[in-house]
Amino acid sequence: MNIEGIIEKIIYKNTDNGYTVLEMTSEGNSVVTVGILPLVAEGELISVEGDWITHASYGKQFSVSSFTSSLPKTETAILRYLSSGIVPGIRAKTARILVEAFGPETLEVMENDPLRVAQIKGITPAKAEKISQSMKETLGVKSILLYFQQFGITPTIAFKIYKQWGLSAYDIIKNNPYRLCRIPGLGFEKVDEIAEKMGCDRNDENRIQAAILYILEYNLYNGGHTFLPRQKLCMLAAQILSSKEPEITKNIQTLINEQLLIYKGKIGNTDGIYLSDIYASEKFIAERICLAARFSNEYDGDFEHDIRIIQHELGIDFTGNQKLAIKEVCRHKLSVLTGGPGTGKTTTLNGIIRVFEMKGISYALAAPTGRAAKRMSEVTGREAKTLHRLLEYKTQNGENIFLKSHKNQLEYNAVIVDESSMVDVLLLRALFDAMPITANLILVGDAAQLPPIGPGKAFKEIIESHKVPVITLNEIFRQAEQSLIVTNAHRIITGENPILNETKRDFFFLPAKSPDEQCKLIASLYANRLPNAYGYDPMTDIQVLSPTRKGATGTTALNVYLRQIINPIDHTKRETIFRGTIFREGDKVMQIRNNYDIIGEKPNGEAEEGVFNGDIGIIEEVDAKKEYIIVNYDDKKVTYTTETLEDLEPAYAVTVHKSQGSEFKAVILSLLEGADILFTRNLLYTAVTRARENLIIVGSAQRVFSMVKNTSKDKRFSGLKSLISEQPWI
């Protein structure tokens, strides 16, 4: 549907993403129009395409999918246009003077004849030239946005293109449309459609090379693969391009020659093609690991004496393995502490900290996620930071960087990282880069858990390299033995079926024969039975997990079902709809990818950059008219706009993968329907170990037992172990 009219009033405008709420007059009627409408101003004639919607709070609105606009023609409209501030340096008084001087030709004179503008009293030649340049930029940006719309690019994406390349966007994309693959929200398939509309040859080398790079990037962030075997890459490229392998091989070689790709001849039993920066990351990590492995020292002092003092302070007796761990991390520049639940990792960690404090060794505690860092603080009584905060993440000149690096290193003698199985190669590379060679790095984690959401499987490969001291805690302590969660976790990881028929401990199984029966059981547990029995708050203490997003018992369906019970429609609670998802005040939500640019406000008023994959919070405020919501996380409040809402989703139920690094008082695990490939032993183990006090599995016992038997791993191509073995000085 198309509507044309004059813009009467700009109600709201977000300059970062172009989202605008305006009032226009069309055929004598006032129309509230919403959408991505960058750089429009009062007085413009605008033609918008879209659909009517009815907003819960603001009534009937016209939602824009595309638009065109033209500059005002009459003196009255031009005066309103310039008075709106659309041209920097021009306000109402100056606008009136210009219109009185040049009449209907005002805008053309401002753009193309600065000498005439400079004749106006109060406007210097320099200011006239600046006005001319501003007009050219404003009109240039509009022409770029309108140019891209003809190829099916939405105003939202068009504005991102402009933000990426500015006024050069037109020439850059016309020369090579496949540069658009760099824009978030445009996959190769969509860019390929655009390129075809622009007349691009299907055999263009830019097309083939863009597909190759896209496949590697997609598999990096969606499959965790740091490289792909050459044959697999060629096969995938042939499928996406409908091209013959010789052409693909030729263009792979071109990208290798240009050092955009790296060919690694032998990685285990295959070969591999890397994106150059990812190869550099794995190689750098391998070199630092091997450098650290060259150095070890004797323990400084009388170890047994120090341990006796610490045992007395903490009121415990360390096991032999725990003592070994404490001693080894003091002796080596890099060491690993691993073990399952109930084996004393926390006790050992506290022992390590006390030795460092006794010896005057400065240290930092860190974890990959905010929740993991918070838990680390709780169990140690010391401050722990996220790795991003420790490395001082910032956005500078449009780039995401860590201020801590080899140029500005951390000033600690040791860094202890918990939940290290979650650390991907990019983050580990940044950590190594920021650490002095003389400092100790201690990686603490559970090697049996799922690999990181991000690329690689560094923790597992470091252990498997056998180049680093690895202390495995495998003795379950007497107190932990009382927990069926701990007992069953160890049974699962060793291939034994968990005990499901206990009813008086902390691990429960409730059978469900159908998705409907399962959803009702889960909802009852979440909203009533667990809160009534244990005093749990469903929003902060209980988490529903599922192996899958899809299906009647996946997280998508469960979130809809649980929201209806926990946070139903209420006229006192404002809400908004974004891409079919409802966001309501009081909703439990999760950040689903790292966003380093977004700014959060801490309780003390300080700003903190970044919200990270897996962070869970509660929606505190919704302003549907201005299209923003405020989410209250554990440590900060974050404002989301239409540009960043795509990173947010309901979190009454989340996938097991997304729960990594988090621990909850109670976990309800949905195990009934889904693709067998997802229902694996290590996924079950990871889910069970997310629960601190109570775990309830709802579903099929046969499904549980089949998961224990399913030992297939999360297959991902990663070359760190191979690169470690190749280092010449080992």
Side-chain angles (χ1 to χ4, degrees), residues 646-658:
E646 63 187 0
D647 292 346
L648 209 61
E649 64 181 28
Y652 298 100
V654 302
T655 63
V656 177
H657 279 85
K658 289 292 185 185

Side-chain angles (χ1 to χ4, degrees), residues 43-97:
E44 281 189 80
L45 175 66
I46 187 170
S47 176
V48 292
E49 189 170 324
D51 293 294
W52 289 103
I53 61 171
T54 300
H55 195 281
S57 302
Y58 300 105
K60 194 174 182 181
Q61 300 176 334
F62 192 80
S63 178
V64 176
S65 58
S66 65
F67 77 101
T68 59
S69 66
S70 56
L71 294 174
K73 302 289 192 295
T74 67
E75 292 183 19
T76 301
I78 291 170
L79 179 60
R80 291 184 64 196
Y81 177 77
L82 292 176
S83 298
S84 71
I86 188 70
V87 180
I90 302 295
R91 287 292 184 265
K93 183 178 179 181
T94 307
R96 185 173 297 281
I97 294 171

Side-chain angles (χ1 to χ4, degrees), residues 595-698:
N595 186 327
Y596 306 110
D597 301 326
I598 202 165
I599 306 296
E601 182 180 346
K602 297 172 70 175
N604 61 5
E606 291 181 5
E608 182 173 277
E609 295 184 10
V611 188
F612 305 109
N613 197 346
D615 286 351
I616 294 177
I618 309 295
I619 295 179
E620 189 171 278
E621 181 182 345
V622 173
D623 191 319
K625 189 173 184 179
K626 296 182 180 179
E627 290 290 326
Y628 73 76
I629 70 174
I630 296 175
V631 177
N632 192 348
Y633 291 100
D634 289 337
D635 56 346
K636 57 182 173 287
K637 292 183 181 180
V638 174
T639 300
Y640 289 81
T641 65
T642 52
E643 190 174 41
T644 51
L645 265 180
E646 63 187 0
D647 292 346
L648 209 61
E649 64 181 28
Y652 298 100
V654 302
T655 63
V656 177
H657 279 85
K658 289 292 185 185
S659 73
Q660 285 178 264
S662 297
E663 190 176 83
F664 311 94
K665 287 184 178 179
V667 166
I668 304 169
L669 179 57
S670 165
L671 293 181
L672 187 63
E673 295 184 342
D676 289 343
I677 193 171
L678 294 173
F679 288 74
T680 63
R681 180 187 294 178
N682 67 333
L683 185 139
L684 177 61
Y685 175 81
T686 300
V688 168
T689 53
R690 298 309 90 209
R692 187 164 69 241
E693 296 178 5
N694 280 287
L695 175 85
I696 304 94
I697 296 177
V698 181

Side-chain angles (χ1 to χ4, degrees), residues 330-387:
C330 293
R331 294 183 58 240
H332 295 277
K333 297 302 176 189
L334 175 61
S335 52
V336 172
L337 174 63
T338 185
T343 57
K345 288 198 302 295
T346 297
T347 301
T348 308
L349 179 59
N350 281 319
I352 293 167
I353 290 170
R354 281 300 297 124
V355 169
F356 284 170
E357 291 170 346
M358 286 175 64
K359 299 294 183 185
I361 297 171
S362 61
Y363 65 90
L365 305 180
T369 67
R371 279 181 168 262
K374 183 179 180 183
R375 193 173 73 252
M376 196 179 189
S377 291
E378 290 170 351
V379 300
T380 63
R382 276 77 170 172
E383 181 188 18
K385 301 178 180 180
T386 63
L387 282 166

Side-chain angles (χ1 to χ4, degrees), residues 341-343 474-478 480-481 486-487 490:
T343 57
N474 47 28
E475 179 184 339
I476 303 176
F477 283 83
R478 188 176 301 125
E481 284 179 342
V486 171
T487 300
H490 285 272

Side-chain angles (χ1 to χ4, degrees), residues 419-551:
E419 294 287 356
S420 294
S421 62
M422 290 186 64
V423 180
D424 64 38
V425 295
L426 299 175
L427 190 52
L428 186 58
R429 189 248 167 94
L431 177 60
F432 269 122
D433 189 42
M435 285 188 63
I437 292 174
T438 56
N440 291 23
L441 175 61
I442 301 98
L443 300 176
V444 182
D446 187 343
Q449 287 188 21
L450 292 168
I453 295 172
K457 44 182 180 178
F459 187 66
K460 190 173 188 299
E461 289 194 291
I462 289 171
I463 293 172
E464 291 176 348
S465 73
H466 303 298
K467 303 299 183 184
V468 172
V470 177
I471 301 91
T472 303
L473 303 178
N474 47 28
E475 179 184 339
I476 303 176
F477 283 83
R478 188 176 301 125
Q479 184 178 356
E481 284 179 342
Q482 305 306 310
S483 167
L484 197 55
I485 293 174
V486 171
T487 300
N488 277 340
H490 285 272
R491 289 175 68 93
I492 289 165
I493 210 60
T494 57
E496 294 183 75
N497 287 334
I499 299 165
L500 300 183
N501 57 2
E502 285 270 3
T503 58
K504 296 182 180 179
R505 294 169 77 178
D506 56 4
F507 188 112
F508 305 93
F509 172 76
L510 298 178
K513 295 180 181 178
S514 68
D516 184 60
E517 182 184 357
Q518 188 194 41
C519 285
K520 288 178 180 177
L521 260 175
I522 289 172
S524 173
L525 288 162
Y526 188 78
N528 300 307
R529 292 168 65 175
L530 286 174
N532 292 340
Y534 300 97
Y536 292 150
D537 181 344
M539 306 300 279
T540 56
D541 299 331
I542 308 171
Q543 186 59 57
V544 177
L545 301 181
S546 174
T548 179
R549 297 172 61 90
K550 300 177 181 179

